[in-house]
Every structure is written in C-alpha cells, then in structure tokens.
Amino acid sequence: MSTLGDFRKDFDILVNGDYVYFDNAATSQRPRQVLDAVSNFYKERNANPLRGLYDWSMQATESYEDARALVADFVGGVSTEEIIFTRNTTESLNLVAYTYGLDTVKEGDEIVISVMEHHSNILPWQMVARKRGAKLVYMEPDEEGTISKEEYESKITDKTKIVAIGHVSNVMGVTNPVKEIAAYAHAKGATVVVDGAQSAPHMKIDVKDLGADFFAFSGHKMMAPMGIGVLYGRKDLLLNMSPFLTGGEMIEYVTREDATYAELPHKFEAGTVNAGDAVGLAEAIKYLRNVGYDNIEEQEEKLTRRLMEGLSKLPYVKIYGSKDPKKHCGIVTFTIDGVHPHDISSVLNDDHVCIRAGHHCAQPLMQFIGAGSTARASLYFYNTEEEVDIFLDKIAKVREVMGYGA
Ligand code: C6P
C-alpha cells in the first residue's frame, strides 16, 4: 500500500512547483493517471460517441458508458439509468430546478434551503419560487454551523415540496445532517435535492442511505477534469421529468411537429457528450478509491487540526464554524482583524501560498455571519504538515506587511 507521500508524487503541478495550494474546495489538482487517461482517450479512440457504427465511435461509447457504470457504483450502487452527466454541480442543480422544480412546485408551495447554500443551490430555487408563486424558506445554522433538529422541523412543513441542502458547506466545512433532514422531509412528502460538490471528494457517498432523491457533484473538485459533473436522480422521478436541453441524441423519433425522447439517461444528455472528461472522472474515482476514504479523512483531520491550532494562537484571527477540526472537512474560513481578506490572499500569493478570499459564492451566509468577505484555506489529502507550517508562518506576517507593528 502506498503512503500519502507516494500519492503526492503523482501530482506534477505540486511536485514541480513551489506553491502551497490550499484552494482545493475551489478545484483540486489532477494526478498524472487522470491526465493520461484523458489524453489516451483522444490519442487512441476519439470519435463522436453514441453515433458512429465504426470501431472508434463504438469504443468511445464504451468508454463513456463504462465511466457511467463506475459513477453509479461510486454513489452507492445505483442504476446507470439514474446517472446523468452534466458540466458541473451548477448545471446538475439547474437541471433539477428547470425540470422537476418548475413541473412540480405550485403557487403557495414552499421550497426549503439553508442560508449556508452556495449560490448554485440558491438561484435555481429563487427562479422556481418566483415563476411559480412559491415561497423560499431558509434554515439557519447555530454558531458552530449546525442546523438543529428544532430548526429543520420548524421550517419543513406540509407545504414543503422541495428541500435543497448542501451536504458540506463550502464556507463552514460543516457536514449537514442530510440523512435526518431527508427522513423528515420525506415524511412531509417533500423531495430532497443534495448538493454534494464539497462532500463527494472527501467521503464515501451512498445516495440511498442519505435519502437523496437527487444528488449533484462536480468532477473537478475530486481530481477529474473541469467540465464534467454528475446528477444522480431517482429513476421514478427522472422518468416523469421533461428534458432540460433538447436537440441531438436525446430523441427517439422526430417529426416536423413533434418528438419522442430517448430512454434514460440519454433523455437528459442533449448534444455531443463529454466522453473524454467522463473517462477522466472514472480514473479519478479509481484513484480516490486507491487512496482510501479512511486515509483521506485521517490526513485532512490531522492537517486541519494543525492549521486551526496554529491560527488559534494568533489573537487577531477569527475562525468561523465549529471549534472541532473533525467537523471542517478540510475547510477553514477565517478573518484577520484590520486586514481585508483580499489583502490576506494577495500577501500570501507573494509567498506562493494559494488560498481563496471573498464571499465564496455564498453571500446570504456572509450576511448571516456578519462578514462581507472572509479568507478560506481548504485542504486535500495530498497536502502536507510542512505546507501547513509555511501557511502559518506567512499568516503570522500578514499584519506586519499591512503596516501593523510586529
Ligand atoms: N464552490 C468554491 O470555491 P461548480 O462551479 O458548478 O463546479 O460548483 C458549484 C458549487 C456548488 N455547491 C458548492 C457547495 C460549492 O462549493 C460549489 C463550488 C467553489 O467554494 C467555487 S465558487
């Protein structure tokens, strides 16, 4: 079995550069195996999949459908008919909102989301609520970032048609009690949409066990290429949904006036599909499994603990969310008194340390916690303790660089 250090060697960008990359929640890095898999697809069997009746096209189709089968297994052993390839989490969530949401939600209904959601899990539901005369209801977390039982039980009611919730917050790092929320929502007759963008890269996913009727995630946050994402949807729901985009390959038969649609999942995959990146996603899943979720969680927790302990020693640093490093999923959001988060990021960049600063596409949460903007370090299993120490050393100098006394 390889050590985590051995895995790091697969990431040329990390090994060859002198950057500390702590912006993994925005996008991860890719190992050589993933890059090679994509490159080999184009070198060896590139043709338009699902169309041609010659070898290359049929091989491209086979690679694409093999990738789908692996994804179906990755999310907990579901049917391949329930796996739709999209561009990313944002497109997956929009697909659900524009089809299931608009078809199902009626005037006076309620859609429940949380104030911690990424904009990609807010704006589609604002659109549905606006178009259908429904109400958007927000669940709020406590200081630690937790949505309590009292909170979700008071917001999810008989009027609720959809509950859309992030599995892991991209700002607080907290894992929401999705399983409990889903069970309660189902008892009220609501459908549960889970944004798994920040959970799929870090923890074992079982959509059935979670109680997700829909589950969305992006390949690029889990070492796959940018431009490939996934929507899992329960077959009985997908069967009755209208298509999202229409055009080539999603049809069965077209006349001048009308069309019938292809079977699942192709009904939701209009146009030439992204087979090359689906192959990359399959390779990323194999890689992730080879590293092992236990190793990933252990390493992330160790690094997060070191990072939070280091930051806690600085009296002018405020950390948001839980005090327990185990509850951060490698994400630590913080501010430094008197220094704008953009300046923190710029000062760190001068020393080749990459973090994210801003509103993290979660402005309602920023308003809720009373911060216009924050800095965020987000870790992955290939990061090291040495990198955490470099980060802490640079953070300790930020106020000095900005003109405060040492
Ligand atoms: N969050 C971050 O730096 P896309 O862009 O579609 O791949 O993912 C959107 C998205 C949806 N939900 C959550 C919880 C997310 O964190 C993200 C992406 C990045 O936090 C970029 S804003």
Side-chain angles (χ1 to χ4, degrees):
M1 152 122 191
S2 311
T3 67
L4 287 174
D6 287 337
F7 286 116
R8 187 177 164 92
K9 290 192 197 114
D10 293 329
F11 295 80
D12 290 331
I13 192 167
L14 299 177
V15 177
N16 298 338
D18 64 342
Y19 282 82
V20 172
Y21 186 73
F22 280 1
D23 197 15
N24 294 288
T27 197
S28 64
Q29 299 300 345
R30 287 100 183 111
R32 210 170 302 127
Q33 289 83 340
V34 168
L35 302 177
D36 287 349
V38 177
S39 160
N40 289 340
F41 172 83
Y42 288 107
K43 280 186 204 160
E44 293 165 6
R45 66 211 111 105
N46 174 52
N48 202 318
L50 305 162
R51 287 167 169 74
L53 295 173
Y54 50 87
D55 285 349
W56 284 353
S57 178
M58 289 189 290
Q59 284 159 7
T61 305
E62 198 183 333
S63 299
Y64 184 63
E65 295 303 336
D66 284 352
R68 193 193 308 279
L70 194 60
V71 172
D73 191 53
F74 173 73
V75 299
V78 301
S79 160
T80 49
E81 290 171 296
E82 300 180 304
I83 297 298
I84 299 160
F85 282 120
T86 61
R87 280 188 305 140
N88 47 38
T89 306
T90 305
E91 187 175 299
S92 297
L93 294 169
N94 273 275
L95 190 161
V96 182
Y98 272 95
T99 58
Y100 186 80
L102 287 180
D103 286 349
T104 315
V105 175
K106 305 275 178 292
E107 193 172 343
D109 287 344
E110 294 185 354
I111 301 168
V112 177
I113 64 173
S114 94
V115 79
M116 277 187 286
E117 298 314 307
H118 186 277
H119 294 165
S120 296
N121 202 26
I122 298 178
L123 273 73
W125 306 116
Q126 288 179 343
M127 178 279 297
V128 175
R130 202 177 301 117
K131 280 193 193 256
R132 292 292 175 254
K135 190 173 162 200
L136 196 54
V137 176
Y138 283 87
M139 298 183 283
E140 294 176 355
D142 62 19
E143 268 274 294
E144 293 258 300
T146 306
I147 298 174
S148 69
K149 190 166 186 276
E150 295 70 43
E151 178 64 8
Y152 67 73
E153 287 192 353
S154 70
K155 300 287 168 69
I156 301 170
T157 70
D158 292 334
K159 288 186 176 173
T160 310
K161 283 288 163 310
I162 291 174
V163 176
I165 176 89
H167 196 181
V168 169
S169 158
N170 70 321
V171 179
M172 307 290 239
V174 65
T175 303
N176 285 317
V178 170
K179 192 170 169 172
E180 291 76 11
I181 292 175
Y184 192 75
H186 287 149
K188 295 283 174 192
T191 297
V192 177
V193 182
V194 180
D195 171 353
Q198 297 293 350
S199 61
H202 302 275
M203 58 183 75
K204 192 162 169 33
I205 301 298
D206 185 332
V207 290
K208 294 252 161 62
D209 183 58
L210 268 183
D213 299 307
F214 294 99
F215 186 93
F217 63 99
S218 299
H220 72 91
K221 293 187 198 288
M222 46 180 281
M223 299 181 286
M226 293 176 182
I228 187 82
V230 172
L231 174 68
Y232 155 78
R234 245 177 55 200
K235 184 177 172 185
D236 58 313
L237 299 177
L238 292 177
L239 277 174
N240 294 313
M241 280 158 57
S242 339
F244 178 37
L245 302 173
T246 53
E249 270 314 313
M250 52 71 68
I251 54 91
E252 185 188 54
Y253 194 70
V254 182
T255 61
R256 286 193 185 204
E257 294 78 26
D258 210 356
T260 53
Y261 305 128
E263 305 266 294
L264 290 178
H266 302 284
K267 177 171 97 174
F268 293 103
E269 294 181 354
T272 297
V273 297
N274 189 355
D277 290 344
V279 166
L281 176 58
E283 197 62 34
I285 289 173
K286 287 181 204 156
Y287 194 90
L288 207 51
R289 285 177 163 173
N290 196 22
V291 180
Y293 292 102
D294 290 348
N295 282 332
I296 292 174
E297 278 174 38
E298 195 185 311
Q299 174 76 349
E300 287 174 359
E301 190 198 319
K302 187 171 77 182
L303 298 179
T304 307
R305 185 175 300 282
R306 193 178 184 95
L307 191 143
M308 286 176 71
E309 279 173 5
L311 285 181
S312 304
K313 289 187 189 135
L314 306 172
Y316 46 80
V317 171
K318 175 176 166 64
I319 300 176
Y320 291 84
S322 175
K323 308 235 171 328
D324 183 353
K326 275 191 186 159
K327 296 190 177 160
H328 275 262
C329 214
I331 292 175
V332 182
T333 291
F334 62 97
T335 47
I336 296 181
D337 285 350
V339 184
H340 193 281
H342 286 175
D343 289 327
I344 303 176
S345 178
S346 297
V347 171
L348 291 192
N349 181 51
D350 289 341
D351 287 321
H352 289 189
V353 176
C354 315
I355 62 159
R356 185 161 175 201
H359 54 60
H360 313 292
C361 300
Q363 282 179 322
L365 177 61
M366 292 292 131
Q367 290 144 16
F368 182 74
I369 63 177
S373 165
T374 61
R376 182 189 71 185
S378 53
L379 312 169
Y380 210 10
F381 66 88
Y382 45 58
N383 289 126
T384 64
E385 288 176 306
E386 292 72 39
E387 289 184 307
V388 171
D389 293 344
I390 293 169
F391 164 83
L392 290 171
D393 184 55
K394 305 302 174 196
I395 283 287
K397 297 192 174 117
V398 166
R399 273 175 53 104
E400 203 181 319
V401 174
M402 295 307 294
Y404 293 88

